[in-house]
Amino acid sequence: AIVACVDNPEARDRTIELGGPQAISPLEVVRLAESITGREISVEHVPIEALEQQVAETAGTDASVFPSLMVSVARGDDLPPAPEWLRPRTTVEDYLRGVLA
């Protein structure tokens, strides 16, 4: 994704969400992987309050990006699709089937 943005004028001065061709939450990816492999995947959750405190403590700095993303994951937010010119040519399900088969 980064390489595709380097010389692309559509990426200049923009914040680009990096989702796939469809909106899917990280927890949905885990469940999809479980259905493909037939195995349960253990998931641990950090309390959202702890993540929100990290966001508050790092507000206004580059360090806030990671805890902000983790709050989004903890809430189960969908990742929006990437811009058309940056979208992968495969779905999450097809990709997982390829790497987990």
Side-chain angles (χ1 to χ4, degrees), residues 27-80:
L27 289 176
E28 289 173 310
V29 174
V30 171
R31 301 301 169 237
L32 185 56
E34 288 177 329
S35 72
I36 291 168
T37 63
R39 295 182 307 212
E40 185 176 333
I41 298 172
S42 176
V43 176
E44 295 183 30
H45 298 275
V46 175
I48 196 163
E49 297 80 16
L51 297 170
E52 289 171 339
Q53 181 167 346
Q54 289 179 10
V55 170
E57 290 171 355
T58 59
T61 71
D62 291 342
S64 68
V65 173
F66 187 70
S68 296
L69 176 61
M70 293 299 95
V71 166
S72 178
V73 170
R75 290 183 181 147
D77 296 344
D78 289 342
L79 299 177

